[in-house]
Amino acid sequence: MLKNAILVICDGLADRPLRALNGLTPLESARTPNLNRLAKRGITGIVDTIGVGIRPGSDTSHLALLGYDPEIYYTGRGVFEAAALGMELKRGDVALRANLATVDENMIIEDRRAGRIESSEPFVRELNGITIDGVHFMVASGLGHRAAIVMRGKGLSSNLSNNDPHILGVRPHFVRALDKSKEAEFTAGALNKFLERAHAALSKNPLNKERVKVGKPPANYLLCRGAAILKGFPDFEEMFGLKAACVSAVGLYKGVALAIGMDLVSVPGATGRPDTDIEAKFRAAIEALQEYDFVFVHIKAADNLAEDGNFREKRHFIERIDRAARMLLNLKETLVVVTADHTTCSELKMHTGDPVPIMIVGEGVRADKVKRFGERACALGGIGRIKGLDVMKEILNLMGRAEIYGA
Amino acid sequence: MLKNAILVICDGLADRPLRALNGLTPLESARTPNLNRLAKRGITGIVDTIGVGIRPGSDTSHLALLGYDPEIYYTGRGVFEAAALGMELKRGDVALRANLATVDENMIIEDRRAGRIESSEPFVRELNGITIDGVHFMVASGLGHRAAIVMRGKGLSSNLSNNDPHILGVRPHFVRALDKSKEAEFTAGALNKFLERAHAALSKNPLNKERVKVGKPPANYLLCRGAAILKGFPDFEEMFGLKAACVSAVGLYKGVALAIGMDLVSVPGATGRPDTDIEAKFRAAIEALQEYDFVFVHIKAADNLAEDGNFREKRHFIERIDRAARMLLNLKETLVVVTADHTTCSELKMHTGDPVPIMIVGEGVRADKVKRFGERACALGGIGRIKGLDVMKEILNLMGRAEIYGA
């Protein structure tokens, strides 16, 4: 009987056949003895994380793979980003992603990232906790110039335009309501007032005076985008009966995990970049299996490398995943699931809608004859072609935790 | 990067294993070196054009393969047939298929096709443009005894019974409303009056007097069936961002193409019969790719041959398709997709719900190990088993034209 499960999602792992790799994908062309050993022991298949031919975002595909239908639960990236910054969101909160930016005395945008300042924290601190028209504003700092804004109050809407025009030399837009509802008008109005007040406060911030003195652009404006309202996420443990933890270094995925009630396991050396310590992440995940029924491990870098067109480094990174995957070979009481959230084509440098490989290894699975973990090898596996939302169902079933439908 | 796509739908191409062909299907038993070459280069699979085990009509399966959910858009064959006869339909029009038939002086049906007259045109001409109860009637002639009736007016319904009893020796039915709505009652009333007036006019037509003189049955009655109302079809180009053309010789498919806003490319020598010039159709399609992003080629005859039980001629026709398919081998910037709309079983002489093979060939596809284009060979391909509605999604994805879902 399986005690627990580990779900390893390698972001953007899958690819298309590349001419430069003799018609193989980076995964097919990589030396992956450990992943292949897992594939040999397990059952394999391919997954359309959203649907056949649909190009998944990383947010929607993770929701689906974790058992949350994005058609129901996805409202926008902002809520996950904010959650990832440690903000405790409540149902009805509206979250936005924000950049600290530079405007001149005529409100013309000079720099969308305020010279890529090192940390937004000392700037946004004083903006946190302002109340306007009964709406409470919370601001948290992210990496560098990044921040998140959360609005809490009655009757808010996320149907708002961005104030970020995405170009320089113009004024920021006013945030507008994108529908004619009272809620959207009200929310846009409160947010515009807040942005004005933030500009006034930031302009007076002594740190900005220092920046100007040394010739750096002042961080005196908040450009925001991606307003999203937090719908209630049913708790992962309540939905699936599995106490769950997440090992990830990247905000978005930590945000998804937090939003669905998973605990975060932080791992020194996990960076979300190609230099990340994959062994350390697997070690932490395996340790967490002592305490948790389900551990989701997210490994980011293959996606970024493919988006940079760097298919050789992608292959190299996959070989690093493989070396770490040795640690997954001896988990006797654990269902081991390895898959990807979407294909990232190194030639097109973007997410594509091609299915991703999956393998499921553990006692009781109907091991098939597939001997390699690869896009095309797994397409011939015993799982066939399933959807992202099916993955948690398969996991629950193989763990012996699925409820009977009927009698 | 792929520039465009060609979708070849071979009507009724798939079949069941036939004892007379040693347990092979006509496609499996045919010599198809060019189709096999394409299969070798591409990714293959099987498609349930509507759903697993569902026997598709040609109209519904084409809608699905072209990305239009028949559950939403299919209202009946009449609208496509009428559109194919060149009638410009508007939203809310009700269209019916009609036969010119023969009734005697007691209104008993003697011949449902008026002795399969050569052309309905000189008979229906005078029926075109009649207005009854504010409903404008348009009639267009099809091949032989066939015609289409379009009713235009306010508050029409297509929920009508047929007046065609499908047997001889009885009177035509009255058209009845199939629900209790005012609209259906009103439409049935107007149509019955029109059919009466048409009978009176046709009876007086001098051509019929001549026919009677030489012992031919007069074409003096309209038997109609398949009332359908035109819903608005979203334009193909708006839906998919692809400027599209259709190469087909047969009314129904031209009607589907017109209804969704495709341009028609007419090809001399394209007949819709086994004698059709398949090379000429492919040549025209390939030329059209200079101007269009997407060309749909329809090839009809395999279906009719199977419905006649003529499996040897079906095989022969498939070999003719194969010879023409040589022209598809050198399309470097084009995604080539070959499939069928449904299985037509030569033994049962009817459409069946077995899946059809598909192959997709072009740069970036995950070519699989399948080396033959056949029902069972493709069932082991890398695409697996998908639905008709997935085909356009796969095409958009492989063309790099799919929109991202999420971020």
Side-chain angles (χ1 to χ4, degrees), chain A residues 16 22 27 33 88 92 111 238 288 306 309 327 344 372 402:
Chain A
R16 288 187 178 174
N22 295 318
L27 177 59
E88 292 190 7
D111 191 317
E238 273 171 37
M327 301 166 70
T344 307
R372 257 199 79 88

Side-chain angles (χ1 to χ4, degrees), chain A residues 143 248-250 267-278 281 300-301:
Chain A
L143 282 179
S248 170
V250 182
V267 178
T271 63
R273 295 187 306 263
D275 68 357
T276 193
D277 189 342
I278 309 171
K281 293 177 84 168
K300 179 66 187 166

Side-chain angles (χ1 to χ4, degrees), chain A residues 15-17 19 50 52-53 55-60 70-71 77 343 347-348 351-355 375-376 380 385, chain B residues 1 363-369 380-386 390 393-394 397-400 402-407:
Chain A
D15 211 308
R16 288 187 178 174
R19 253 182 272 177
I50 305 298
V52 173
R55 278 180 66 205
S58 290
D59 40 16
T60 49
E71 285 291 323
R77 188 157 170 152
T343 294
E347 220 156 76
L348 301 178
H351 296 191
T352 65
D354 310 80
E375 291 88 345
R376 285 178 282 197
L380 303 176
R385 184 170 187 162
Chain B
M1 183 80 171
E363 201 190 317
V365 307
R366 292 178 181 161
D368 57 31
K369 291 184 175 167
L380 304 176
I383 292 174
R385 184 170 188 163
I386 61 174
D390 295 327
K393 292 179 191 157
E394 285 276 24
N397 170 49
L398 290 167
M399 290 179 81
E403 281 180 30
I404 198 160
Y405 176 72

